[in-house]
Short mmCIF file of all heavy atoms in Angstrom, two decimals:
data_model
loop_
_atom_site.label_atom_id
_atom_site.label_comp_id
_atom_site.label_asym_id
_atom_site.label_seq_id
_atom_site.Cartn_x
_atom_site.Cartn_y
_atom_site.Cartn_z
N LEU A 1 -65.12 92.10 50.71
CA LEU A 1 -64.99 90.76 50.14
C LEU A 1 -66.05 89.84 50.72
O LEU A 1 -66.69 89.07 50.00
CB LEU A 1 -63.59 90.22 50.41
CG LEU A 1 -63.27 88.83 49.88
CD1 LEU A 1 -63.35 88.79 48.36
CD2 LEU A 1 -61.89 88.38 50.36
N ALA A 2 -66.24 89.90 52.03
CA ALA A 2 -67.25 89.07 52.68
C ALA A 2 -68.64 89.41 52.17
O ALA A 2 -69.44 88.51 51.84
CB ALA A 2 -67.17 89.25 54.20
N GLN A 3 -68.94 90.70 52.07
CA GLN A 3 -70.27 91.10 51.62
C GLN A 3 -70.53 90.67 50.19
O GLN A 3 -71.67 90.31 49.83
CB GLN A 3 -70.44 92.61 51.75
CG GLN A 3 -71.84 93.08 51.36
CD GLN A 3 -72.04 94.56 51.61
OE1 GLN A 3 -71.27 95.19 52.31
NE2 GLN A 3 -73.09 95.11 51.01
N SER A 4 -69.49 90.68 49.34
CA SER A 4 -69.68 90.28 47.95
C SER A 4 -70.16 88.85 47.84
O SER A 4 -70.97 88.51 46.95
CB SER A 4 -68.40 90.50 47.16
OG SER A 4 -67.41 89.53 47.50
N TRP A 5 -69.66 87.98 48.71
CA TRP A 5 -70.12 86.58 48.72
C TRP A 5 -71.50 86.45 49.34
O TRP A 5 -72.33 85.67 48.85
CB TRP A 5 -69.10 85.71 49.44
CG TRP A 5 -67.88 85.45 48.62
CD1 TRP A 5 -66.68 86.09 48.70
CD2 TRP A 5 -67.76 84.50 47.55
NE1 TRP A 5 -65.81 85.60 47.75
CE2 TRP A 5 -66.44 84.63 47.04
CE3 TRP A 5 -68.61 83.56 46.98
CZ2 TRP A 5 -65.98 83.83 45.99
CZ3 TRP A 5 -68.15 82.78 45.94
CH2 TRP A 5 -66.85 82.91 45.45
N ASN A 6 -71.77 87.21 50.40
CA ASN A 6 -73.11 87.20 50.98
C ASN A 6 -74.15 87.63 49.96
O ASN A 6 -75.28 87.10 49.93
CB ASN A 6 -73.18 88.13 52.19
CG ASN A 6 -72.48 87.60 53.42
OD1 ASN A 6 -72.30 88.33 54.39
ND2 ASN A 6 -72.06 86.34 53.42
N ASP A 7 -73.82 88.60 49.11
CA ASP A 7 -74.76 89.07 48.09
C ASP A 7 -75.16 87.96 47.12
O ASP A 7 -76.23 88.02 46.51
CB ASP A 7 -74.16 90.24 47.32
CG ASP A 7 -74.06 91.51 48.14
OD1 ASP A 7 -74.72 91.58 49.20
OD2 ASP A 7 -73.32 92.43 47.74
N LEU A 8 -74.29 86.95 46.97
CA LEU A 8 -74.59 85.80 46.12
C LEU A 8 -75.29 84.69 46.89
O LEU A 8 -75.61 83.64 46.32
CB LEU A 8 -73.30 85.25 45.49
CG LEU A 8 -72.57 86.19 44.53
CD1 LEU A 8 -71.22 85.60 44.12
CD2 LEU A 8 -73.43 86.46 43.29
N GLY A 9 -75.52 84.92 48.18
CA GLY A 9 -76.18 83.92 49.01
C GLY A 9 -75.23 83.03 49.78
O GLY A 9 -75.67 82.20 50.59
N ALA A 10 -73.93 83.16 49.57
CA ALA A 10 -72.95 82.27 50.21
C ALA A 10 -72.66 82.73 51.64
O ALA A 10 -72.69 83.93 51.95
CB ALA A 10 -71.66 82.24 49.40
N ARG A 11 -72.35 81.78 52.49
CA ARG A 11 -71.85 82.07 53.83
C ARG A 11 -70.34 82.30 53.73
O ARG A 11 -69.65 81.50 53.09
CB ARG A 11 -72.15 80.93 54.81
CG ARG A 11 -73.64 80.60 54.89
CD ARG A 11 -73.98 79.67 56.03
NE ARG A 11 -73.21 78.42 56.01
CZ ARG A 11 -73.51 77.35 56.76
NH1 ARG A 11 -74.56 77.39 57.57
NH2 ARG A 11 -72.76 76.26 56.69
N PHE A 12 -69.83 83.35 54.37
CA PHE A 12 -68.42 83.70 54.27
C PHE A 12 -67.71 83.49 55.60
O PHE A 12 -68.18 83.96 56.64
CB PHE A 12 -68.25 85.15 53.84
CG PHE A 12 -66.80 85.57 53.67
CD1 PHE A 12 -66.15 85.40 52.46
CD2 PHE A 12 -66.10 86.10 54.74
CE1 PHE A 12 -64.82 85.77 52.32
CE2 PHE A 12 -64.77 86.47 54.60
CZ PHE A 12 -64.13 86.30 53.38
N TYR A 13 -66.58 82.78 55.54
CA TYR A 13 -65.74 82.55 56.71
C TYR A 13 -64.31 82.93 56.36
O TYR A 13 -63.85 82.69 55.24
CB TYR A 13 -65.78 81.09 57.14
CG TYR A 13 -67.15 80.59 57.54
CD1 TYR A 13 -68.06 80.13 56.58
CD2 TYR A 13 -67.55 80.59 58.88
CE1 TYR A 13 -69.32 79.68 56.94
CE2 TYR A 13 -68.82 80.15 59.24
CZ TYR A 13 -69.69 79.69 58.27
OH TYR A 13 -70.94 79.24 58.63
N ALA A 14 -63.60 83.51 57.31
CA ALA A 14 -62.18 83.84 57.14
C ALA A 14 -61.41 83.29 58.32
O ALA A 14 -61.89 83.32 59.46
CB ALA A 14 -61.98 85.34 57.02
N LEU A 15 -60.22 82.78 58.04
CA LEU A 15 -59.40 82.13 59.06
C LEU A 15 -58.14 82.95 59.30
O LEU A 15 -57.32 83.12 58.40
CB LEU A 15 -59.04 80.72 58.59
CG LEU A 15 -58.28 79.82 59.53
CD1 LEU A 15 -59.06 79.57 60.82
CD2 LEU A 15 -57.97 78.48 58.85
N ASP A 16 -58.00 83.49 60.52
CA ASP A 16 -56.72 84.02 60.94
C ASP A 16 -55.90 82.84 61.47
O ASP A 16 -56.22 82.27 62.52
CB ASP A 16 -56.90 85.06 62.05
CG ASP A 16 -57.20 86.46 61.52
OD1 ASP A 16 -57.50 86.59 60.31
OD2 ASP A 16 -57.16 87.41 62.32
N LEU A 17 -54.88 82.46 60.72
CA LEU A 17 -54.09 81.29 61.07
C LEU A 17 -53.34 81.50 62.39
O LEU A 17 -53.21 82.62 62.88
CB LEU A 17 -53.08 80.99 59.96
CG LEU A 17 -53.67 80.64 58.59
CD1 LEU A 17 -52.58 80.68 57.53
CD2 LEU A 17 -54.35 79.28 58.61
N ARG A 18 -52.83 80.42 62.93
CA ARG A 18 -52.06 80.49 64.17
C ARG A 18 -50.95 81.55 64.07
O ARG A 18 -50.28 81.69 63.05
CB ARG A 18 -51.43 79.13 64.49
CG ARG A 18 -50.45 78.65 63.42
CD ARG A 18 -49.88 77.29 63.73
NE ARG A 18 -50.92 76.26 63.64
CZ ARG A 18 -50.76 75.03 64.12
NH1 ARG A 18 -49.63 74.66 64.70
NH2 ARG A 18 -51.75 74.15 64.01
N LYS A 19 -50.83 82.34 65.12
CA LYS A 19 -49.76 83.35 65.26
C LYS A 19 -49.88 84.49 64.26
O LYS A 19 -48.91 85.18 63.96
CB LYS A 19 -48.38 82.70 65.20
CG LYS A 19 -48.21 81.58 66.24
CD LYS A 19 -46.82 81.01 66.31
CE LYS A 19 -46.79 79.85 67.32
NZ LYS A 19 -45.43 79.29 67.50
N TYR A 20 -51.11 84.69 63.75
CA TYR A 20 -51.43 85.84 62.90
C TYR A 20 -52.65 86.55 63.48
O TYR A 20 -53.57 85.92 64.01
CB TYR A 20 -51.82 85.40 61.49
CG TYR A 20 -50.72 84.98 60.56
CD1 TYR A 20 -50.36 83.65 60.45
CD2 TYR A 20 -50.07 85.91 59.75
CE1 TYR A 20 -49.38 83.24 59.56
CE2 TYR A 20 -49.09 85.51 58.85
CZ TYR A 20 -48.75 84.18 58.76
OH TYR A 20 -47.78 83.79 57.88
N GLY A 21 -52.69 87.86 63.33
CA GLY A 21 -53.89 88.63 63.59
C GLY A 21 -54.55 88.33 64.92
O GLY A 21 -53.93 88.41 65.99
N ARG A 22 -55.81 87.97 64.87
CA ARG A 22 -56.59 87.68 66.06
C ARG A 22 -56.02 86.50 66.85
O ARG A 22 -56.36 86.32 68.02
CB ARG A 22 -58.04 87.38 65.67
CG ARG A 22 -58.76 88.53 64.97
CD ARG A 22 -60.01 88.02 64.27
NE ARG A 22 -60.77 89.06 63.58
CZ ARG A 22 -60.49 89.51 62.36
NH1 ARG A 22 -59.47 89.02 61.69
NH2 ARG A 22 -61.26 90.44 61.80
N SER A 23 -55.21 85.67 66.19
CA SER A 23 -54.69 84.45 66.81
C SER A 23 -53.29 84.64 67.40
O SER A 23 -52.76 83.71 68.01
CB SER A 23 -54.63 83.32 65.77
OG SER A 23 -55.88 83.16 65.13
N LEU A 24 -52.70 85.81 67.23
CA LEU A 24 -51.35 86.06 67.73
C LEU A 24 -51.38 86.35 69.22
O LEU A 24 -52.08 87.24 69.68
CB LEU A 24 -50.74 87.25 66.96
CG LEU A 24 -49.31 87.65 67.32
CD1 LEU A 24 -48.34 86.51 67.08
CD2 LEU A 24 -48.90 88.89 66.51
N ARG A 25 -50.60 85.57 69.97
CA ARG A 25 -50.55 85.72 71.42
C ARG A 25 -49.19 86.27 71.84
O ARG A 25 -48.19 86.12 71.14
CB ARG A 25 -50.79 84.36 72.11
CG ARG A 25 -52.15 83.74 71.78
CD ARG A 25 -53.29 84.58 72.35
NE ARG A 25 -54.60 83.98 72.16
CZ ARG A 25 -55.46 84.31 71.22
NH1 ARG A 25 -55.13 85.24 70.31
NH2 ARG A 25 -56.65 83.73 71.15
N ASP A 26 -49.15 86.91 73.02
CA ASP A 26 -47.90 87.46 73.53
C ASP A 26 -46.84 86.36 73.64
O ASP A 26 -47.14 85.24 74.07
CB ASP A 26 -48.12 88.08 74.91
CG ASP A 26 -48.96 89.35 74.86
OD1 ASP A 26 -49.04 89.95 73.77
OD2 ASP A 26 -49.53 89.73 75.90
N GLY A 27 -45.62 86.68 73.25
CA GLY A 27 -44.52 85.74 73.34
C GLY A 27 -44.37 84.83 72.13
O GLY A 27 -43.41 84.04 72.07
N GLN A 28 -45.28 84.93 71.17
CA GLN A 28 -45.19 84.09 69.99
C GLN A 28 -44.43 84.79 68.86
O GLN A 28 -44.46 86.02 68.74
CB GLN A 28 -46.60 83.71 69.50
CG GLN A 28 -47.34 82.78 70.45
CD GLN A 28 -48.71 82.38 69.93
OE1 GLN A 28 -49.31 83.09 69.12
NE2 GLN A 28 -49.21 81.25 70.40
N THR A 29 -43.75 84.00 68.05
CA THR A 29 -43.05 84.52 66.86
C THR A 29 -44.09 84.72 65.77
O THR A 29 -44.66 83.74 65.27
CB THR A 29 -41.98 83.53 66.39
OG1 THR A 29 -41.08 83.26 67.48
CG2 THR A 29 -41.21 84.11 65.22
N PRO A 30 -44.38 85.96 65.36
CA PRO A 30 -45.49 86.20 64.42
C PRO A 30 -45.35 85.41 63.12
O PRO A 30 -44.31 85.44 62.46
CB PRO A 30 -45.40 87.70 64.17
CG PRO A 30 -44.74 88.26 65.38
CD PRO A 30 -43.74 87.22 65.79
N GLY A 31 -46.41 84.67 62.79
CA GLY A 31 -46.49 83.97 61.51
C GLY A 31 -45.62 82.74 61.37
O GLY A 31 -45.64 82.12 60.30
N TYR A 32 -44.90 82.35 62.40
CA TYR A 32 -43.88 81.31 62.21
C TYR A 32 -44.45 79.89 62.23
O TYR A 32 -45.17 79.50 63.15
CB TYR A 32 -42.79 81.40 63.27
CG TYR A 32 -41.67 80.40 63.01
CD1 TYR A 32 -40.71 80.67 62.03
CD2 TYR A 32 -41.62 79.18 63.68
CE1 TYR A 32 -39.71 79.76 61.75
CE2 TYR A 32 -40.62 78.26 63.40
CZ TYR A 32 -39.67 78.56 62.43
OH TYR A 32 -38.68 77.64 62.14
N VAL A 33 -44.12 79.13 61.20
CA VAL A 33 -44.24 77.66 61.17
C VAL A 33 -43.02 77.15 60.41
O VAL A 33 -42.42 77.88 59.63
CB VAL A 33 -45.53 77.16 60.48
CG1 VAL A 33 -46.77 77.48 61.29
CG2 VAL A 33 -45.64 77.73 59.06
N ASP A 34 -42.65 75.90 60.65
CA ASP A 34 -41.53 75.32 59.88
C ASP A 34 -42.01 74.38 58.79
O ASP A 34 -41.20 73.77 58.10
CB ASP A 34 -40.54 74.63 60.81
CG ASP A 34 -41.15 73.50 61.61
OD1 ASP A 34 -42.31 73.10 61.32
OD2 ASP A 34 -40.49 72.99 62.53
N SER A 35 -43.33 74.28 58.61
CA SER A 35 -43.92 73.51 57.52
C SER A 35 -45.32 74.03 57.26
O SER A 35 -46.09 74.24 58.21
CB SER A 35 -43.99 72.02 57.86
OG SER A 35 -44.76 71.31 56.89
N LEU A 36 -45.66 74.26 56.00
CA LEU A 36 -47.02 74.71 55.68
C LEU A 36 -48.05 73.64 55.99
O LEU A 36 -49.24 73.95 56.14
CB LEU A 36 -47.09 75.12 54.21
CG LEU A 36 -46.20 76.30 53.79
CD1 LEU A 36 -46.43 76.63 52.32
CD2 LEU A 36 -46.44 77.53 54.66
N ASP A 37 -47.62 72.38 56.11
CA ASP A 37 -48.55 71.31 56.49
C ASP A 37 -49.09 71.51 57.90
O ASP A 37 -50.12 70.92 58.25
CB ASP A 37 -47.86 69.95 56.40
CG ASP A 37 -47.51 69.56 54.97
OD1 ASP A 37 -47.86 70.32 54.04
OD2 ASP A 37 -46.87 68.51 54.78
#
């Protein structure tokens, strides 16, 4: 997906949100928020 945008000349960024993936820390409830805001 990233390469497909680079092929068009665009810069590609992806965000691992808090408590997901690269942003998940020990002791945290995975993916949890009480408001999408």
Side-chain angles (χ1 to χ4, degrees):
L1 180 63
Q3 183 175 345
S4 72
W5 285 99
N6 286 170
D7 289 345
L8 296 173
R11 303 191 305 193
F12 181 89
Y13 298 85
L15 184 60
D16 276 12
L17 298 167
R18 62 182 68 194
K19 305 186 183 183
Y20 283 93
R22 299 164 180 83
S23 307
L24 181 60
R25 300 294 184 260
D26 290 340
Q28 292 182 336
T29 304
Y32 185 78
V33 291
D34 59 11
S35 170
L36 298 182
D37 293 356

